[in-house]
Amino acid sequence: MDLEDQQGTELENVDLTGSRFTRVDFTGSTFRAVALQDVVMRDVEVSGTTIDGEIESLVVNGIDVVPLVEAELDRRHPERPLFRPTDADGFRAAWDVNERLWADTVARARRLPEERLHESVREEWSFVQTLRHLAFASESWVGRGVLGDPSPWHPLSLPWDQMEPRDGVPHDRDARPSLDDALALRQEAMALVRAVVDGLTDEQLDVPGEPLAGPGWPDEGEVLTPRQCLRVVLNEEWWHRRYAERDLSVLEERGA
């Protein structure tokens, strides 16, 4: 049976919950910001496929491969387990390591012409946009989530692309600040986290804060603990540095 030709179809902001795909060719397709909870795939052919994201469980031919992937990531990156701390000292140690790793990444980026640091690799954020996003993450989860500031964001801070507009939350993806300006924003946000982890005690980790006030991110009314908020920040820091390092390798190959 010939397939109906719908090559190049673009679906955006579409709810396909409960859909069924039979004899569908997804060769060369791109999936971004896609939810795949409770998806069942049978009789599939997979090759040359790359998946990056938050994967809690993935059963391939009867085997949950996520624990295997997690163990291999920890083996390749011995500092990674430190980003899953359980006590206040662990959060301080993780932030120490994070500052050191990012200092190395920034030094590597500075060896490139600044124009390169505004370039996208495979439609991902540029290096400068990544710095702006991490500032947003720290401001949101520490400035708002831990410290209770209802509006902690700098105008250059950058939420994730699919975030719906929210009153008072900046979202200027096309801004092009200099590297130094982006780093100044980033360092201010990192200092916010540093101040919190330096004063953190084990007893404070699981004490819920007041319900969040006003529109923003995290959502108004949420009640969060420092442990929850800081773990989100550490996860953002770890993965976005890996993505930045990956893309810097491509930019270095492009040359001056």
Side-chain angles (χ1 to χ4, degrees):
M1 180 184 296
D2 292 335
L3 296 177
E4 180 181 348
D5 189 350
Q6 294 191 27
Q7 295 183 54
T9 298
E10 294 191 14
L11 300 176
E12 187 171 350
N13 294 327
V14 176
D15 187 349
L16 294 175
T17 300
S19 298
R20 185 180 184 90
F21 300 91
T22 304
R23 293 189 298 276
V24 176
D25 189 347
F26 285 111
T27 301
S29 297
T30 298
F31 297 82
R32 287 183 177 274
V34 174
L36 293 174
Q37 285 88 5
D38 302 318
V39 171
V40 176
M41 300 182 184
R42 297 278 189 255
D43 301 321
V44 299
E45 297 179 5
V46 180
S47 64
T49 298
T50 299
I51 301 175
D52 289 309
E54 297 182 13
I55 305 172
E56 295 182 0
S57 64
L58 177 62
V59 178
V60 178
N61 292 335
I63 299 173
D64 186 354
V65 301
V66 170
L68 308 178
V69 173
E70 290 295 304
E72 178 62 13
L73 284 169
D74 287 349
R75 186 191 69 81
R76 294 186 182 189
H77 310 288
E79 69 278 9
R80 184 171 180 262
L82 294 174
F83 283 69
R84 301 190 296 270
T86 58
D87 59 19
D89 285 340
F91 279 98
R92 279 185 281 276
W95 199 249
D96 288 343
V97 172
N98 185 61
E99 289 178 334
R100 173 176 59 79
L101 292 174
W102 265 105
D104 292 342
T105 299
V106 169
R108 179 183 180 186
R110 282 194 179 279
R111 291 194 286 269
L112 288 167
E114 182 162 328
E115 189 63 25
R116 282 278 184 258
L117 304 181
H118 289 283
E119 291 184 16
S120 172
V121 175
R122 291 184 287 271
E123 300 182 24
E124 300 293 344
W125 279 329
S126 70
F127 186 79
V128 169
Q129 287 171 325
T130 296
L131 298 176
R132 295 171 56 206
H133 174 68
L134 288 173
F136 174 82
S138 294
E139 292 163 343
S140 297
W141 289 98
V142 176
R144 179 172 164 90
V146 176
L147 299 177
D149 184 345
S151 184
W153 305 285
H154 187 280
L156 286 173
S157 301
L158 183 64
W160 67 99
D161 283 345
Q162 293 77 27
M163 181 179 182
E164 296 294 331
R166 300 185 182 212
D167 289 343
V169 180
H171 201 155
D172 186 357
R173 194 185 197 279
D174 297 326
R176 286 177 65 91
S178 68
L179 175 62
D180 285 341
D181 285 345
L183 283 171
L185 167 65
R186 164 79 165 136
Q187 288 161 0
E188 183 175 347
M190 291 183 79
L192 190 72
V193 181
R194 167 55 71 187
V196 168
V197 298
D198 278 352
L200 193 64
T201 66
D202 291 343
E203 292 74 22
Q204 293 171 333
L205 275 171
D206 296 307
V207 176
E210 295 295 322
L212 299 182
W217 180 254
D219 287 322
E220 184 173 9
E222 281 208 54
V223 177
L224 301 166
T225 67
R227 184 191 302 275
Q228 290 172 301
C229 294
L230 291 168
R231 284 292 293 268
V232 172
V233 169
L234 287 174
N235 187 61
E236 290 276 313
E237 293 282 339
W238 169 263
W239 281 110
H240 281 291
R241 193 187 68 83
R242 297 297 307 161
Y243 301 151
E245 291 278 345
R246 173 199 65 196
D247 293 348
L248 285 173
S249 296
V250 176
L251 294 174
E252 287 164 349
E253 291 177 0
R254 291 179 182 175

